PDB file of all heavy atoms in Angstrom:
ATOM      1  N   ASP A 132     -15.181   0.434 -13.705  1.00  0.00           N
ATOM      2  CA  ASP A 132     -14.459  -0.115 -12.557  1.00  0.00           C
ATOM      3  C   ASP A 132     -15.218   0.264 -11.274  1.00  0.00           C
ATOM      4  O   ASP A 132     -16.166   1.052 -11.320  1.00  0.00           O
ATOM      5  CB  ASP A 132     -12.995   0.342 -12.554  1.00  0.00           C
ATOM      6  CG  ASP A 132     -12.794   1.823 -12.281  1.00  0.00           C
ATOM      7  OD1 ASP A 132     -13.734   2.517 -11.853  1.00  0.00           O
ATOM      8  OD2 ASP A 132     -11.677   2.310 -12.505  1.00  0.00           O
ATOM      9  N   PRO A 133     -14.868  -0.303 -10.132  1.00  0.00           N
ATOM     10  CA  PRO A 133     -15.611  -0.016  -8.901  1.00  0.00           C
ATOM     11  C   PRO A 133     -15.634   1.455  -8.492  1.00  0.00           C
ATOM     12  O   PRO A 133     -16.434   1.843  -7.642  1.00  0.00           O
ATOM     13  CB  PRO A 133     -14.886  -0.855  -7.844  1.00  0.00           C
ATOM     14  CG  PRO A 133     -14.302  -1.983  -8.613  1.00  0.00           C
ATOM     15  CD  PRO A 133     -13.904  -1.388  -9.932  1.00  0.00           C
ATOM     16  N   TRP A 134     -14.788   2.271  -9.094  1.00  0.00           N
ATOM     17  CA  TRP A 134     -14.750   3.702  -8.775  1.00  0.00           C
ATOM     18  C   TRP A 134     -15.499   4.521  -9.819  1.00  0.00           C
ATOM     19  O   TRP A 134     -15.459   5.743  -9.802  1.00  0.00           O
ATOM     20  CB  TRP A 134     -13.298   4.155  -8.641  1.00  0.00           C
ATOM     21  CG  TRP A 134     -12.620   3.376  -7.559  1.00  0.00           C
ATOM     22  CD1 TRP A 134     -12.684   3.620  -6.211  1.00  0.00           C
ATOM     23  CD2 TRP A 134     -11.831   2.206  -7.714  1.00  0.00           C
ATOM     24  NE1 TRP A 134     -11.970   2.661  -5.536  1.00  0.00           N
ATOM     25  CE2 TRP A 134     -11.433   1.778  -6.435  1.00  0.00           C
ATOM     26  CE3 TRP A 134     -11.408   1.462  -8.816  1.00  0.00           C
ATOM     27  CZ2 TRP A 134     -10.652   0.649  -6.214  1.00  0.00           C
ATOM     28  CZ3 TRP A 134     -10.624   0.336  -8.606  1.00  0.00           C
ATOM     29  CH2 TRP A 134     -10.255  -0.060  -7.321  1.00  0.00           C
ATOM     30  N   GLY A 135     -16.168   3.845 -10.762  1.00  0.00           N
ATOM     31  CA  GLY A 135     -17.025   4.518 -11.727  1.00  0.00           C
ATOM     32  C   GLY A 135     -16.358   4.972 -13.005  1.00  0.00           C
ATOM     33  O   GLY A 135     -16.967   5.678 -13.802  1.00  0.00           O
ATOM     34  N   ARG A 136     -15.112   4.582 -13.232  1.00  0.00           N
ATOM     35  CA  ARG A 136     -14.406   4.976 -14.455  1.00  0.00           C
ATOM     36  C   ARG A 136     -14.281   3.781 -15.408  1.00  0.00           C
ATOM     37  O   ARG A 136     -14.242   2.638 -14.967  1.00  0.00           O
ATOM     38  CB  ARG A 136     -13.031   5.522 -14.102  1.00  0.00           C
ATOM     39  CG  ARG A 136     -13.100   6.861 -13.371  1.00  0.00           C
ATOM     40  CD  ARG A 136     -11.718   7.402 -13.073  1.00  0.00           C
ATOM     41  NE  ARG A 136     -11.039   6.654 -12.021  1.00  0.00           N
ATOM     42  CZ  ARG A 136     -11.225   6.835 -10.716  1.00  0.00           C
ATOM     43  NH1 ARG A 136     -12.073   7.756 -10.315  1.00  0.00           N
ATOM     44  NH2 ARG A 136     -10.562   6.124  -9.840  1.00  0.00           N
ATOM     45  N   PRO A 137     -14.199   4.037 -16.718  1.00  0.00           N
ATOM     46  CA  PRO A 137     -14.064   2.913 -17.654  1.00  0.00           C
ATOM     47  C   PRO A 137     -12.682   2.263 -17.555  1.00  0.00           C
ATOM     48  O   PRO A 137     -11.703   2.912 -17.198  1.00  0.00           O
ATOM     49  CB  PRO A 137     -14.262   3.567 -19.024  1.00  0.00           C
ATOM     50  CG  PRO A 137     -13.936   5.007 -18.817  1.00  0.00           C
ATOM     51  CD  PRO A 137     -14.262   5.329 -17.390  1.00  0.00           C
ATOM     52  N   TYR A 138     -12.647   0.975 -17.864  1.00  0.00           N
ATOM     53  CA  TYR A 138     -11.365   0.273 -17.929  1.00  0.00           C
ATOM     54  C   TYR A 138     -10.603   0.747 -19.160  1.00  0.00           C
ATOM     55  O   TYR A 138     -11.202   1.109 -20.169  1.00  0.00           O
ATOM     56  CB  TYR A 138     -11.590  -1.240 -18.013  1.00  0.00           C
ATOM     57  CG  TYR A 138     -12.013  -1.829 -16.695  1.00  0.00           C
ATOM     58  CD1 TYR A 138     -13.350  -2.108 -16.435  1.00  0.00           C
ATOM     59  CD2 TYR A 138     -11.079  -2.098 -15.702  1.00  0.00           C
ATOM     60  CE1 TYR A 138     -13.739  -2.636 -15.221  1.00  0.00           C
ATOM     61  CE2 TYR A 138     -11.466  -2.629 -14.482  1.00  0.00           C
ATOM     62  CZ  TYR A 138     -12.792  -2.894 -14.251  1.00  0.00           C
ATOM     63  OH  TYR A 138     -13.173  -3.419 -13.046  1.00  0.00           O
ATOM     64  N   VAL A 139      -9.293   0.733 -19.067  1.00  0.00           N
ATOM     65  CA  VAL A 139      -8.439   1.134 -20.181  1.00  0.00           C
ATOM     66  C   VAL A 139      -8.042  -0.136 -20.931  1.00  0.00           C
ATOM     67  O   VAL A 139      -7.574  -1.105 -20.330  1.00  0.00           O
ATOM     68  CB  VAL A 139      -7.185   1.885 -19.680  1.00  0.00           C
ATOM     69  CG1 VAL A 139      -6.297   2.288 -20.842  1.00  0.00           C
ATOM     70  CG2 VAL A 139      -7.585   3.107 -18.858  1.00  0.00           C
ATOM     71  N   TYR A 140      -8.241  -0.126 -22.245  1.00  0.00           N
ATOM     72  CA  TYR A 140      -7.906  -1.272 -23.097  1.00  0.00           C
ATOM     73  C   TYR A 140      -6.977  -0.799 -24.211  1.00  0.00           C
ATOM     74  O   TYR A 140      -7.269   0.184 -24.887  1.00  0.00           O
ATOM     75  CB  TYR A 140      -9.185  -1.878 -23.685  1.00  0.00           C
ATOM     76  CG  TYR A 140      -8.938  -2.936 -24.731  1.00  0.00           C
ATOM     77  CD1 TYR A 140      -8.462  -4.192 -24.371  1.00  0.00           C
ATOM     78  CD2 TYR A 140      -9.169  -2.683 -26.074  1.00  0.00           C
ATOM     79  CE1 TYR A 140      -8.222  -5.167 -25.312  1.00  0.00           C
ATOM     80  CE2 TYR A 140      -8.944  -3.647 -27.037  1.00  0.00           C
ATOM     81  CZ  TYR A 140      -8.469  -4.891 -26.657  1.00  0.00           C
ATOM     82  OH  TYR A 140      -8.230  -5.853 -27.604  1.00  0.00           O
ATOM     83  N   ARG A 141      -5.871  -1.493 -24.381  1.00  0.00           N
ATOM     84  CA  ARG A 141      -4.904  -1.168 -25.444  1.00  0.00           C
ATOM     85  C   ARG A 141      -4.515  -2.447 -26.177  1.00  0.00           C
ATOM     86  O   ARG A 141      -4.145  -3.436 -25.556  1.00  0.00           O
ATOM     87  CB  ARG A 141      -3.625  -0.568 -24.856  1.00  0.00           C
ATOM     88  CG  ARG A 141      -3.830   0.666 -24.021  1.00  0.00           C
ATOM     89  CD  ARG A 141      -3.803   1.922 -24.870  1.00  0.00           C
ATOM     90  NE  ARG A 141      -3.845   3.091 -24.018  1.00  0.00           N
ATOM     91  CZ  ARG A 141      -4.911   3.840 -23.841  1.00  0.00           C
ATOM     92  NH1 ARG A 141      -6.021   3.548 -24.443  1.00  0.00           N
ATOM     93  NH2 ARG A 141      -4.882   4.892 -23.059  1.00  0.00           N
ATOM     94  N   ASN A 142      -4.611  -2.429 -27.485  1.00  0.00           N
ATOM     95  CA  ASN A 142      -4.153  -3.530 -28.325  1.00  0.00           C
ATOM     96  C   ASN A 142      -3.462  -2.940 -29.546  1.00  0.00           C
ATOM     97  O   ASN A 142      -4.097  -2.229 -30.312  1.00  0.00           O
ATOM     98  CB  ASN A 142      -5.317  -4.416 -28.751  1.00  0.00           C
ATOM     99  CG  ASN A 142      -4.862  -5.581 -29.603  1.00  0.00           C
ATOM    100  OD1 ASN A 142      -3.714  -5.985 -29.562  1.00  0.00           O
ATOM    101  ND2 ASN A 142      -5.777  -6.102 -30.390  1.00  0.00           N
ATOM    102  N   PRO A 143      -2.198  -3.178 -29.713  1.00  0.00           N
ATOM    103  CA  PRO A 143      -1.322  -4.063 -28.942  1.00  0.00           C
ATOM    104  C   PRO A 143      -0.933  -3.413 -27.616  1.00  0.00           C
ATOM    105  O   PRO A 143      -0.889  -2.205 -27.487  1.00  0.00           O
ATOM    106  CB  PRO A 143      -0.103  -4.244 -29.827  1.00  0.00           C
ATOM    107  CG  PRO A 143      -0.070  -3.016 -30.679  1.00  0.00           C
ATOM    108  CD  PRO A 143      -1.503  -2.597 -30.860  1.00  0.00           C
TER     109      PRO A 143
END
Side-chain angles (χ1 to χ4, degrees):
D132 69 13
W134 301 278
R136 291 182 288 278
Y138 285 100
V139 180
Y140 172 73
R141 303 272 187 256
N142 181 22

